[in-house]
Amino acid sequence: MDQVLVPWENVFVYNDIEKANNFFPRTGFLPRFVVHGCTRLAVKLDFICGLLLKATEAAGTKDYRGVQANVGEVIAWRNLFWGLSDAMVRDPKPWIGDYVLPNMDPGSAYQIIATMAYTRIKHLIEQTVASGLIYLNSHARDFSNPEIRPYLVRYLHGSGGYKADERVKLLKLLWDALGSEFGGRHELYEVNYGGSTEEIRRYSLFGAMASGSADRFKGFAESCMAEYGLDGWTVPDLSDPGEFSYHARKTK
């Protein structure tokens, strides 16, 4: 890329260090980036939930208590990210003029929780579908082999009327999404999607400090501590036990 022609109409900033350094805070990029990323992950989890539900049907385990608990947790993670996506959009914050930006409080929550959630979801599916993810023939051509096909039909069929080729098609797709090289790259991608896992946690703190939320949190704690002291309650709506105090009676 030593000789690349970039048309001037495609250049946003040139030879302006201040504009380049302030791209993220002044363009509203980050709030819009996180609402996109969260919605993208929520849609991805819709797809994964669908595969998991069908996989437990094919395995005949969908009514097992433990399986239902694991599937329910995966769906709860899906619900969480849709909730965060909705919260960013439905409660936007003022920006420049009449413009608004997605709310970064749920946005920063998405950035941090997503790094943990996808790995947890993957583990839940591996626990739930278990050997079903690997107890599969290696290639679709095996079903065309007259010597092998009878064994596949007999041993690889699923419950609930799933034929062998239908079950294999379903579980191969789930394996592709989670266990293959492609699936492994996706897990790494989700863990690092927002950048350094340490930095995005610091951003959450710095955002709370910049917005005044950190001071509000501390004020909440301080208002509680202001209601009592060494001699008991200091507010009129709460009363001390007086002579009925266990410690007062014990010292007598």
Side-chain angles (χ1 to χ4, degrees), residues 55 58-59 125-137 156 167-175:
I125 294 174
E126 289 169 345
Q127 281 186 315
T128 305
V129 186
S131 62
L133 289 168
I134 54 175
Y135 184 60
L136 304 165
N137 55 304
L156 294 185
R167 175 182 171 275
V168 169
K169 180 179 181 180
L170 166 64
L171 292 174
K172 283 282 191 181
L173 180 56
L174 184 53
W175 174 255

Side-chain angles (χ1 to χ4, degrees), residues 88-247:
M88 280 186 261
V89 175
R90 294 179 181 274
D91 184 26
K93 299 304 177 183
W95 190 38
I96 298 172
D98 295 330
Y99 294 96
V100 294
L101 286 175
N103 191 326
M104 272 303 294
D105 285 350
S108 64
Y110 146 70
Q111 281 190 289
I112 293 170
I113 295 172
T115 65
M116 303 176 284
Y118 198 80
T119 298
R120 173 63 180 169
I121 291 166
K122 180 174 180 288
H123 181 60
L124 284 167
I125 294 174
E126 289 169 345
Q127 281 186 315
T128 305
V129 186
S131 62
L133 289 168
I134 54 175
Y135 184 60
L136 304 165
N137 55 304
S138 60
H139 200 281
R141 285 196 296 265
D142 295 336
F143 285 101
S144 300
N145 185 313
E147 296 182 11
I148 299 176
R149 183 179 176 86
Y151 294 102
L152 299 180
V153 170
R154 181 175 181 180
Y155 293 113
L156 294 185
H157 71 88
S159 298
Y162 269 88
K163 297 179 181 178
D165 58 338
E166 294 173 337
R167 175 182 171 275
V168 169
K169 180 179 181 180
L170 166 64
L171 292 174
K172 283 282 191 181
L173 180 56
L174 184 53
W175 174 255
D176 283 344
L178 294 174
S180 64
E181 181 182 359
F182 172 80
R185 287 172 63 88
H186 264 263
E187 181 182 11
L188 182 64
Y189 177 80
E190 296 298 348
V191 170
N192 296 283
Y193 181 82
S196 164
T197 55
E198 184 180 77
E199 283 302 298
I200 59 177
R201 284 158 171 77
R202 295 177 73 232
Y203 293 160
S204 180
L205 168 62
F206 298 153
M209 294 169 65
S211 67
S213 291
D215 287 335
R216 180 166 54 84
F217 300 153
K218 290 190 292 185
F220 194 3
E222 289 164 0
S223 68
C224 174
M225 291 189 291
E227 294 186 352
Y228 61 92
L230 293 176
D231 297 322
W233 297 110
T234 59
V235 289
D237 59 319
L238 296 172
S239 60
D240 296 307
E243 61 179 314
F244 297 106
S245 167
Y246 169 79
H247 296 286

